Amino acid sequence: MRLLSIDILRTVAIGMMVLVHFVENLSSHYSLSTANSASREHLWWLPVGLAAPLFTLLAGVSYHCWVIIQRDRGIDDCTISKRTVRRGFFLVGVGFAFNVFVWLPEDTFNWDILTFIGSAIILLNIIRKIPTEALIFGIILVAIMSPALQEISDYYAFWINGYFEYDLTLSDVVLGYLATGYFPIFPWIIFPATGFVIAPLLFPSAATHSRRQQPFRRLLANCFSIGCIAASLVLQQITFLSPLICRRTMFPASSSYLLGAIGVSTLSLFVLHRIVDKKEDQNIPSQTFGGLEKWFRIISKHSLSIYLIHHMIHLWPLWIYGLMTVGEPTTHWQKIMPVIFSTTLAFFFCALVIPAFLIIDKYRVPTIESIMRWISD
């Protein structure tokens, strides 16, 4: 069972990632002098602030739905756990390989989104039997602890040049995984954990509650989403608090940013679920998006492959060109072309993705997703 609302939002998330990465890696410092190139902030006109939170929150929602499907098929709990752990370690392994072969060996332990999602899936398997109230308490606790951990670990010392830098020592590697890397456990585990918690709330067919409770669940979902957005806006106005709490930044992921991203992501998911999934439950074809449903499903189904390929497409030529011109692969990173060119390349890549994966599906060409299923299931 695939939910169209999840496919649509995952398509949006991967599309935003493609745009952000093409522009950021090829053009973000194109017009800046060397003196001005170091910055702790990214290009906020890009949709960078929502793509990763949405993608990781959907991982939690999808995992909950996957567990329910496994149970409905009669799969025992021990087997579900084994499959989950295999998927998690597979993604962690792919993440490390991605860091080494796409980003270069010095970035092996930068703790990017793939290693994070793999770790999150393993953690979700551990906490999925915990009562919902305890999970909510844990999410709140992580949100409270994260600014303190970032402060204690001296977060900004790892981001002097606007990107994560570390020494190859045990302390730096562990700190990067827990609090200072691109997607550390604290606080990013909040997103998949929240997705796992709200899945029964948004998709009552996957819950055990009576259908008479659906209006109450919808009201609760709306209040939760709007409350998170409102709290984010309020925090941004409280200037006497630490910037790790009130300033809206993704690196580090501030409290204000976390609340806003969770609110927007859950509200988007709830609204889309009401629009498209309800009609599918009633066997009514959804015409809301015309004939785009098939495209959404294709992109969502192969989102991991698209994530890997779009990096290879624009980073490998960049490294090769750097080696050919000055002998240093990263020489032209972030300053090879104007923004208009990198943006055009991003849209061109997106336009080619759908026909490419339609052909791949037609001829059943192995993909990273099919390999993961073969190994884990």
Side-chain angles (χ1 to χ4, degrees):
M1 179 184 69
R2 298 193 67 92
L3 295 171
L4 182 56
S5 58
I6 295 179
D7 288 336
I8 292 171
L9 288 179
R10 188 174 284 122
T11 298
V12 171
I14 199 68
M16 288 190 292
M17 286 184 183
V18 170
L19 175 61
V20 167
H21 293 148
F22 267 80
V23 173
E24 215 169 18
N25 293 324
L26 300 179
S27 307
S28 61
H29 290 161
Y30 178 77
S31 60
L32 298 178
S33 65
T34 304
N36 293 329
S37 62
S39 172
R40 289 176 180 168
E41 298 191 19
H42 289 249
L43 300 174
W44 283 103
W45 62 270
L46 291 170
V48 63
L50 185 60
L54 183 58
F55 198 80
T56 52
L57 184 135
L58 291 176
V61 175
S62 297
Y63 178 68
H64 180 277
C65 295
W66 178 81
V67 169
I68 296 300
I69 291 171
Q70 298 300 302
R71 289 174 178 169
D72 290 344
R73 291 174 178 173
I75 306 298
D76 64 274
D77 194 70
C78 182
T79 302
I80 293 174
S81 292
K82 289 179 180 179
R83 291 179 176 180
T84 300
V85 172
R86 285 198 294 265
R87 282 176 179 251
F89 278 118
F90 178 84
L91 286 172
V92 171
V94 170
F96 278 125
F98 171 76
N99 291 343
V100 172
F101 295 107
V102 177
W103 275 113
L104 302 177
E106 55 263 33
D107 284 326
T108 300
F109 295 102
N110 66 9
W111 304 115
D112 208 346
I113 195 167
L114 295 181
T115 49
F116 167 72
I117 292 179
S119 300
I121 289 175
I122 295 172
L123 290 172
L124 287 178
N125 178 63
I126 296 173
I127 66 176
R128 63 187 172 89
K129 296 181 182 179
I130 298 176
T132 302
E133 295 79 7
L135 283 178
I136 294 173
F137 176 77
I139 291 170
I140 295 172
L141 189 62
V142 170
I144 294 172
M145 289 175 57
S146 293
L149 288 175
Q150 291 166 347
E151 191 72 43
I152 293 171
S153 60
D154 196 9
Y155 183 97
Y156 289 117
F158 293 88
W159 288 77
I160 294 174
N161 293 311
Y163 51 87
F164 178 58
E165 298 177 279
Y166 65 95
D167 294 327
L168 195 56
T169 62
L170 180 61
S171 60
D172 276 17
V173 169
V174 172
L175 277 177
Y177 180 72
L178 293 177
T180 62
Y182 279 98
F183 295 95
I185 296 297
F186 293 89
W188 282 88
I189 192 60
I190 288 175
F191 291 105
T194 299
F196 185 82
V197 168
I198 67 169
L201 196 66
L202 294 169
F203 307 108
S205 59
T208 57
H209 302 290
S210 168
R211 286 189 175 272
R212 289 178 296 178
Q213 296 178 315
Q214 288 185 26
F216 172 74
R217 287 195 294 270
R218 290 198 294 268
L219 177 62
L220 187 59
N222 276 320
C223 291
F224 170 78
S225 302
I226 296 172
C228 285
I229 296 171
S232 173
L233 296 174
V234 169
L235 278 179
Q236 291 180 51
Q237 307 305 316
I238 305 177
T239 56
F240 61 85
L241 293 176
S242 167
L244 295 170
I245 297 175
C246 61
R247 189 179 179 190
R248 186 183 178 275
T249 56
M250 182 177 181
F251 302 109
S254 66
S255 301
S256 173
Y257 167 80
L258 293 172
L259 286 168
I262 288 173
V264 173
S265 298
T266 54
L267 185 62
S268 301
L269 182 58
F270 176 72
V271 170
L272 271 177
H273 173 65
R274 293 290 299 165
I275 294 173
V276 299
D277 293 334
K278 291 297 183 181
K279 292 183 178 180
E280 288 193 337
D281 288 344
Q282 300 168 5
N283 294 319
I284 301 174
S286 175
Q287 300 299 322
T288 306
F289 296 94
L292 299 179
E293 286 87 348
K294 184 177 181 180
W295 292 9
F296 291 137
R297 295 193 189 283
I298 286 289
I299 295 174
S300 177
K301 177 182 176 182
H302 296 290
S303 57
L304 177 56
S305 294
I306 295 170
Y307 181 83
L308 296 172
I309 292 171
H310 92 271
H311 277 93
M312 298 175 190
I313 286 292
H314 77 277
L315 286 178
W316 279 353
L318 191 65
W319 304 154
I320 294 170
Y321 182 63
L323 283 172
M324 291 175 60
T325 53
V326 296
E328 170 55 47
T330 60
T331 298
H332 305 292
W333 180 52
Q334 297 187 328
K335 51 188 178 183
I336 188 67
M337 63 180 66
V339 170
I340 186 64
F341 291 166
S342 57
T343 303
T344 302
L345 287 175
F347 284 110
F348 186 67
F349 173 85
C350 292
L352 292 178
V353 158
I354 295 172
F357 279 100
L358 283 172
I359 295 172
I360 286 171
D361 282 350
K362 179 179 179 180
Y363 292 100
R364 298 183 179 180
V365 178
T367 62
I368 195 71
E369 291 86 3
S370 63
I371 294 172
M372 180 174 67
R373 287 192 296 270
W374 181 76
I375 289 176
S376 62
D377 295 346

